Amino acid sequence: MERLIKSGVGWRIGWNPNTTEFKGLVGGDDWAIELTEAELNEFCRLLAQLAESMSQIAAELMDEEKIACETESDLLWMEVEGYPHAYSLRFILHTGRRGEGSWNEAAVPGLMQAAQMLKVF
């Protein structure tokens, strides 16, 4: 498998199985951070978990009601905030070199779709 970088307006995500430590990458238009394989796997898992939570919560909210939902592991803290159909995403990396980043609601759907497909190839 070769290095793979997917990007769209406001987001980037990548996977390079041929490096030793930092095999993953997440970023926005003007920032990026490399992640270990475990960190990238956890990022993708928590992102899917948050998306599922927002989808399930949608039926309980009024149309104009916003919500924040967060999840955490030993490696990452993540939060989505907004409407169930349009929300921003933030994360904080707990391990090693530490770091944080965020995406606006326009970038999240593309990032989420790419995260689901990243290692399928």
Side-chain angles (χ1 to χ4, degrees):
M1 180 178 196
E2 293 296 314
R3 181 176 82 153
L4 176 66
I5 302 236
K6 294 182 171 272
S7 62
V9 177
W11 63 271
R12 292 183 280 169
I13 189 167
W15 170 250
N16 185 353
N18 302 319
T19 64
T20 56
E21 187 174 1
F22 300 111
K23 296 182 180 215
L25 174 115
V26 294
D29 284 335
D30 57 358
W31 67 272
I33 186 168
E34 291 181 325
L35 303 176
T36 64
E37 183 172 4
E39 291 165 348
L40 181 64
N41 288 340
E42 193 70 351
F43 178 88
C44 293
R45 184 183 75 78
L46 294 177
L47 180 56
Q49 181 181 328
L50 286 168
E52 179 64 25
S53 295
M54 290 297 273
S55 178
Q56 290 177 356
I57 292 169
E60 306 297 324
L61 300 176
M62 296 177 18
D63 289 344
E64 66 278 358
E65 203 170 2
K66 289 185 175 183
I67 191 165
C69 186
E70 63 182 62
T71 188
E72 185 170 14
S73 73
D74 291 342
L75 301 176
L76 293 163
W77 171 88
M78 294 177 74
E79 176 190 57
V80 291
E81 184 176 10
Y83 300 103
H85 61 278
Y87 46 86
S88 61
L89 169 68
R90 294 180 348 148
F91 81 98
I92 298 174
L93 181 62
H94 291 314
T95 59
R97 70 235 163 267
R98 308 200 191 278
E100 63 183 271
S102 64
W103 296 269
N104 66 28
E105 60 276 349
V108 171
L111 175 65
M112 192 172 311
Q113 183 178 11
Q116 292 171 347
M117 309 269 303
L118 188 62
K119 291 177 154 185
V120 172
F121 298 97

